[in-house]
Each structure stands twice: as structure tokens, then as C-alpha cells.
Amino acid sequence: MALKVSGGGASEPAMTTGRIIDVRDRYDVDSSKPLPALDSQPAVAYHCLHKRDSKRALYALICDPKLPPRLEAVGMMRRIDHRSLVRCLDWDVIDWPPEGRRCPVVIMERPGGERVFTNLETPRAPMQEELVTRHFIDPATQILREMHGFGLYHRMLRPDNLFYRGPEKQEMMIGECFSSLPGITNPIAYETLECSLATAAGRGEGGSENDLYALGVTILALLTGNSPLVGYTDEEILRLKLTMGSYGALVQNHRVSLTMMEPLRGLLNDDPAERWTLDELGLWLNGRRLSPKQQTMPSKGSRGLTIAGKDYSTAREVANAMHKNWDQAAILINSGALDTWLRRSLGEEDRIEAVNLAKSGGSDNQDRLIARILIALDPEGPIRLKELSATVDGIGTFIASFAEESSARQLFNSVLSMGLVSFWMEQQKKLHPTHLRNTNRLDKVRAVLNQTTLGFGIERVIYELNSSMPCQSTLFERDYIPSVDHLVPAFERLCMGDSPPKRLIDRHIAAFLGTGFKRAIGGELRDIDRGADEEEGRLAQVKILASLQDTMHRNIKFPHLCETSAKLLEPAINRFFSRDRRKKVRGKLRKAAKSGRMQELLDVIDDTKEVSEDKTEFDHASMQYARTTHDLIALMRDIHNKELLAEEYGGQLASATSLLCCVAAITLAGFWAFI
Amino acid sequence: MAQAPKKKNAGAQNDPAQGQANGKPKRSAGFFTFVMICSILMTVLFKETVLLLTIGMIPTGVAYLIDTHPRRHATKTVAWANLAGALIVALELWKGEISLSSAIDLLQNPINWLIMLGSATIGWIIHWIVPLMVLRYLSLSMEMRRRTMREKQKEMEKEWGTQVRGKAPLDELAELEAGPITDDETAETEEEEAMERAREEAMDDETYEEFKKQ
């Protein structure tokens, strides 16, 4: 389940189309002028001009639609005006010819100087402590304070995301933080121990402690001129962090002054509760000096526990090793080797009690038992179940990233059904409000996940847990729909093409609407679920889009969408029984399609008065038909018995004729005889 | 062979004679006594005329014996015609001297026999021709009605689709339409007719009506 990260702009072969793309009528992005120096993987940078102020130095970051950017963060970042923060001006979704699809773009102010670190692998000259403090730590503290005040966390603090303000290479600026999911592109060295243990997609949004940790690593990189632990594998970095603690692992043999040691030890503390806060950093910046606080290292066993040929001494190391060797973990637990090591070697009563608690509630399912024991051994760590390893707030991003993989979906389902989240919460010494919020969200989606109807299921879970996730419908593979208000215009673009869609609402769109659209559409979704190709299903699809148009684009016309909808509704004309009426409605429908308003289509096809009139007339016609049939049956019987009838009627008529002739003859004879 | 009684029964439902038969008052013994007394009185008072008419109406008696129909249409038709002939001869009697010898003289005249028998023959001719004309008329009018109703149904189906059929008993109709509807096709075999007649002869009017109802 390796997460693919799109390549940078420099490697894109089709970037020389020379086309100018307009952004919100204010900016022109030149797709023929890439700016690889400003790329921020996975986003690529391009030259951008302000239409009214061409002297303004701008650049456009074209984000990777596959790795959705944090567009909700852009709005908040625009409100932060700090000279040491690369300012973002606007965002939009544009047609991007080099990719042949629509991509999100963020317009940024171009920093005056180059990157502080060209990349993490390339070392640079160490910076003086005073310069680091004045030009980085101080402004970074201010910026982070402001961001955290908005409930927004940077999660991309890295030396290669720092720019010089000018060519003099003194003042520094912090780069953008929204081109990808939080922390997903960070090297493991810049992530806290908890997030390092999770897969990249499962790190979650994090909090201030993540930003402060990354700040500490960045300070260290600036002071030493090297990104810490460059050249080490993720496994090695994790092992170092677990055995030596983050400070020891990252600093290694570098000389750090006593002055800088204090904030570094504070920021790189592996205990989130002990880690410095912005207030403590502020006090330090204001001149408070204390002796550097040593990190309390976790208890080590008197002898190591051997897992896959290696010895591990701490409970966290053992938990990590057991996760990496899932099959052996079962043997360790079942053979009692883990219990023996915990009692005789580690001797931590809390840990023994937690493991016993984990065993008491999870013996029925081996995987559940292992996952619970891993939580008991490392309560601060991520939730781990086989290949899944994610923090509580990272489970959402994890499933969003691997939604297409059935194994990932199964694991996600198992995490929820096994109650691992609630057990993780039970094991926390100190509960953070965000943990409670995330647990509630996960509890809520558990019910949603088990529903298979349209608008629910895994698709709904993805959107419920990831507010920045664009609509993943296959209809919009070449489009990007960050929010519900982009949906109807996207349909219009789709319907302009050669192959308009046969169906308008699929599972992803239904789930996306279920999450982001405030109007109740449950009835319509049920109708679609019963049969999208049935008349009711077709009507329901158009009703939803009409409702969207009325709510969000009241004054905008969508003729192509209306035309497609009219075609979609053609079979729904069959709800009218009368052929004449159908013909009339078809004509009206075609006329309404040209209006560009979906509601007009519905007014034609869903006219209750017309439908009821048609029904009444049809019932009347049915009765008349039945009556005619009965008459025909009677007539046919008469036809079959017409000889009998002719004999009867003929006999009567013959006797009547004879009587008349008799009277006539007698009258004539009498007249002749007597007169 | 087996269809014959069924057809008769089916046709009986729409038999216009049925109502007439049902409404026919049952004649009491008093009625017959009254008729007998009147006949005796008439014979005593107008013996010449009664003799002439009795002998002149012999063809009607023959028709009565031949006619097997419950309502005896042939007898009635022949009777009215025969009566006309007999009365024409009786007028001759009433015009001259009314006596038994005059009546016998009239009966001895072959011309008078020609008049009486000829009129009875005309009655028979009427009896044979009129039902054939009625049959032709019924065939044409029923076919026209059938076509009109069929066209009406087709128009309804064109306007409302086959759904308009609803629960109409089309199977029954199709079954009836599949059967013989033309004159030739509907003609029953002689054997069937004979059996039917024999059955009818064995019944009186009321039993026949009940049979037809079934």
C-alpha cells in the first residue's frame, strides 16, 4: 500500500504548450514557463502574472489532483499577513493543458530569494545561532501562534520549505503548507515518533506538537547545515529514534551550544506532554534561560525480547517490531514469551496491567488481540492492524488514500468493528480534545460504513472523514470538484463533451452530496438506489441536480447539462399513458432543455396536475376498453348464434308480414265484394 | 358435435324470444273452457261459415303438425295467410245466401280451393324467405358493429398503449374470435341439427327457456 506521489514539474514532458490560463479574471498562469525552483512536491510551480499589476512577483502552484491539497487551509492562510510567510493570494480550479485535465491552482507571492536548502540531501553552510533565532525561530513562533489560533497546523515545516526574503540571504520565509495532505510529504525525520510509526497517509492532521517538533528539526538542520539523518532509511531512523530518543537520534555527534540545546531538547522531546509549547518557546526567545531538560527515556528491560532475530528492550520498540512481524507477534503472545518478558525483564506494572486488559477483551480474534496488545504496549503510538498503521486522526486520510484497495477497506472496517479506537482512547493517560472529536467522528462513520445504500458506505466515510477530499466519481476523472458548489458546473463541462454521461448520480457523487449538501436528498437517493434507469430513478437524479442549481447557482444557466438531463428523462415520459400527451411533453421537454434551468425540466415532466389528469383519463379509457371488450364478446356470441337469432326474429317478422298481408287481402276482398 | 348445445346455450343468452316467452301468461283451464263454449256456440250459430273455415284452414292444421318450433312461427305465418284465403271464400258465402248447401257449393269450386291453398302456400313462402333475409341483415350489421368496436379498441390502444387493456377478458374474446363466424363456418351439421330438434321437441316452452338459460 505504497502511496504514489506525483512527479515534479520539471519532469513533465508536455509543459511547452505555451498557453496562458486565466485564474479568476485576475491572474494569468503561463503553462510554458515552469519554475522548478519553486516546486513543492507534489505541486509544481509556474510563472504567474497579476493582470493589473504585472510588476508583482507571483507564481502559481499547480497541485496534484490525486493528492488533494488542503484548499480549506488556503482561505485561512490568506488572512495571515506576515513578512516571514510566503503569502498566498487566491486559489481556483483551472483547465491545465499539460495534464489534459482540471487541476487546483494556488496563486502565491514569489519569495525574493532562493530556497534556504535546495533540497534535503544537499548540505549548506551552518547558520549562526543568532541568525537562526532572529530570522527563523522568532518569526516562525509568531506565524505558528497565529496559525494555531485559527486551528490550522502547518505540517510542512522543513528546511527545503524555507526561502530567503531577498538576495542578501538573511531573513527567511516559511513556505506554503497546503499543496498536499498534512505531513504526507514530510521525511520521517521531521515527524514526531507517533507519526513516524504511522504510514505516511495515516499521519493525520496532527496538532501544534507536530509543528513544534518539525520546528525543532528544522532549527537543527539550519544550525548544522545538514538535514538530520539524511541517507538513513526510514527503518534506521525509527530504530534510532526509538532507542536514543529523537534528540539523541537527530543531533548525534553535532555540537550544539547550551543556548540552543535548551529549545532543541524541549522541541524534540518525544513525550508530547513534555514537548515545548509556543509559550515556552516565546519565553526562551524573550531571554528566559533554564538548564536543558533531559528527556525521560522509556524503561528498558533487563534483557531484550528477541523478535525476528533482533533484540528489543523497550515496550514501544517491541510494539513496533511485533507490528512489522505480525505473524511472529501471535506466537510471542500465545507462547507467553511476551508476558514473561514484561514481568521478568521490563517489570512495568502499568504495561503488564494494560496488556492483561488487552488480552481479556480480544482473545476471540487473533488479529484483534495483537492490535490491542500493540496499543497496550505503546499507548501513544498509532493504531496498528496488519498493514494499517495510522493515528486516530490519520485513519480518515489513510482510507481516503487507499480506498480503491479492498484490503485497506477491510482493515479500516476491522479497526472500527474491533473497537480499537475506543481501546486506544482507554489507554491514553491524557486525553486531548481532538482525540474525543475524532473518536466521535469514527463512531459516527461506523454506522455509515455498514449501510450499503446509495449515499452511504465507504464512499461516504471518505468524505465524512476528509473535508478537503474532492469528489472521486469516475465521471470526473479529468475534473476536480473540491466542494459541492463546483458539482453542477463540472456536470455542465462534462455534458459539453462528446460522450455525455448516461447516469448523473453515482455512489461517489451521492456520498459527496450527502456530506456537503445541506438539503435533504434521502428520498431521491432511495429512488435512484431502487433503479437508476427506472423512471423514478431518472427523475430523482435530475431533482437532485435541480435542487443544487436552485441552491447554489440560481442565476446561472446550464444548457448542456439540461440537454443531457432531458435525454435522461426521455424514458420518464413513459409515466404518461397518453401517446398524445407524451408527444406534447417531449416537445415541452426539448424546449425546456434550452432554457438551461433544470427545474423547468422537472416542471414539465413532474407536473402533478398533468400526471393525475393523465392517470384519470387512462383509468377511464381502461374501463371503456373493458366495456367494449365485453360488448364484443356478447356480439361474438350473437354472431356465432346468428342462425338461431335469424330464425327467431325471422319467424316473428314472417308471421307479422303474413298478418299484414292477410289484413290487406281481406280489406281489398271485402271492398271488392260489398262495394 | 359437442359444441352444438353450447352454442345454443350461448346464443340463448341473447335470444330476444326469451323475454317474450317469459312474459307469456300461463293459460288457465277456464280459458280453454271459455274457448270451447265459444266454439260450440259459433258452430251452432254460424255452422256454414265454421264449416267453410274449418275445411279451408286444413293447410294451417298441417303446418301445425309439421312445425316443431316452440313458438310455432311457421304455423302463425301460414295461419294468417291461409285465413286470408279462407275469408275471401267466406266473403262469397256471406255475399249470397248463407246456407250449408252454398258452403258445400263453394267448397266444390276448385277456384276456391286454389285461393285457400294458394294463400297458405304464400304463407309458407313468407316463412322461408323472411328468416333468410333477416340472417343476411344480421350478418352484415353484426360484422359492421364488430369492426366498429375493434377499430375503437385499436384507437384506444394507439392512444394509451397496450396497458389500456388492463383486465379486459381478451382471452375469452380471442377464443370466441378464433371460432367460426361466417355463415358457412357456423353451419351445423345435419346430425347436430337433428339432435337439437329432437331435444327441443322433448321439451315444452318453459323447459326449453330454462335449458337455454343454462
Side-chain angles (χ1 to χ4, degrees), chain A residues 40-64:
Chain A
S40 178
Q41 278 202 5
V44 287
Y46 279 84
H47 185 77
C48 177
L49 271 181
H50 196 293
K51 286 189 176 181
R52 290 181 203 157
D53 185 5
S54 56
K55 286 178 184 170
R56 205 165 166 188
L58 304 175
Y59 75 104
L61 265 181
I62 311 295
C63 302
D64 186 347

Side-chain angles (χ1 to χ4, degrees), chain B:
Chain B
M1 293 284 283
Q3 280 182 344
K6 189 182 172 186
K7 279 179 192 170
K8 289 282 177 188
N9 288 341
Q13 288 178 13
N14 301 87
D15 191 349
Q18 188 181 327
Q20 208 178 27
N22 288 342
K24 195 176 176 182
K26 196 176 178 183
R27 281 160 188 169
S28 62
F31 175 79
F32 286 105
T33 311
F34 174 74
V35 170
M36 285 298 290
I37 291 166
C38 284
S39 300
I40 291 163
L41 275 175
M42 290 288 282
T43 309
V44 171
L45 292 174
F46 310 106
K47 54 182 180 294
E48 302 84 5
T49 306
V50 169
L51 176 70
L52 189 68
L53 289 180
T54 306
I55 293 169
M57 292 294 278
I58 285 171
T60 301
V62 174
Y64 181 81
L65 291 173
I66 293 169
D67 190 5
T68 55
H69 195 278
R71 272 178 297 286
R72 300 184 187 277
H73 294 303
T75 309
K76 287 174 191 169
T77 310
V78 172
W80 289 121
N82 194 189
L83 184 64
L87 282 175
I88 289 168
V89 176
L91 280 174
E92 288 292 321
L93 178 70
W94 297 336
K95 201 167 65 174
E97 186 194 347
I98 302 172
S99 63
L100 272 174
S101 60
S102 299
I104 291 163
D105 286 346
L106 285 171
L107 287 171
Q108 284 173 345
N109 188 346
I111 296 295
N112 290 337
W113 277 107
L114 189 67
I115 293 167
M116 289 186 289
L117 292 175
S119 63
T121 308
I122 290 167
W124 277 112
I125 289 167
I126 291 170
H127 175 73
W128 287 115
I129 288 174
V130 171
L132 286 176
M133 288 166 67
V134 168
L135 178 63
R136 180 55 56 194
Y137 166 78
L138 281 177
S139 294
L140 288 171
S141 71
M142 282 175 173
E143 190 55 33
M144 276 174 70
R145 270 182 67 206
R146 193 175 79 95
R147 277 184 194 161
T148 311
M149 283 197 268
R150 264 300 188 198
E151 272 168 24
K152 191 180 169 188
Q153 279 193 322
K154 275 180 189 167
E155 270 175 29
M156 280 158 103
E157 283 180 11
K158 197 177 163 190
E159 172 61 21
W160 300 100
T162 49
Q163 287 167 294
V164 79
R165 291 174 181 172
K167 290 178 182 171
L170 291 171
D171 289 346
E172 195 182 340
L173 179 61
E175 202 177 301
L176 281 167
E177 282 184 330
I181 54 167
T182 58
D183 285 347
D184 294 337
E185 285 170 334
T186 51
E188 293 168 0
T189 60
E190 288 179 9
E191 193 184 349
E192 283 171 340
E193 280 179 354
M195 281 177 72
E196 185 68 17
R197 281 211 187 92
R199 196 178 290 118
E200 286 170 9
E201 278 171 6
M203 301 173 184
D204 58 22
D205 281 11
E206 286 170 16
T207 322
Y208 180 68
E209 291 305 328
E210 279 175 18
F211 169 69
K212 284 209 291 185
K213 274 182 196 172
Q214 287 167 7

Side-chain angles (χ1 to χ4, degrees), chain A residues 355-373:
Chain A
V355 170
N356 286 337
L357 187 68
K359 278 183 175 178
S360 65
S363 54
D364 50 333
N365 181 314
Q366 196 70 52
D367 289 333
R368 182 169 183 245
L369 176 68
I370 299 170
R372 282 169 68 91
I373 286 175

Side-chain angles (χ1 to χ4, degrees), chain A residues 328-349:
Chain A
Q328 288 194 29
I331 299 165
L332 278 172
I333 295 163
N334 295 333
S335 66
L338 180 71
D339 286 339
T340 312
W341 178 77
L342 281 169
R343 285 199 185 86
R344 294 189 186 165
S345 184
L346 191 67
E348 257 190 73
E349 284 305 318

Side-chain angles (χ1 to χ4, degrees), chain A residues 186-202:
Chain A
N186 278 350
I188 203 166
Y190 291 83
E191 285 294 317
T192 60
L193 197 49
E194 295 79 31
C195 287
S196 305
L197 289 165
T199 49

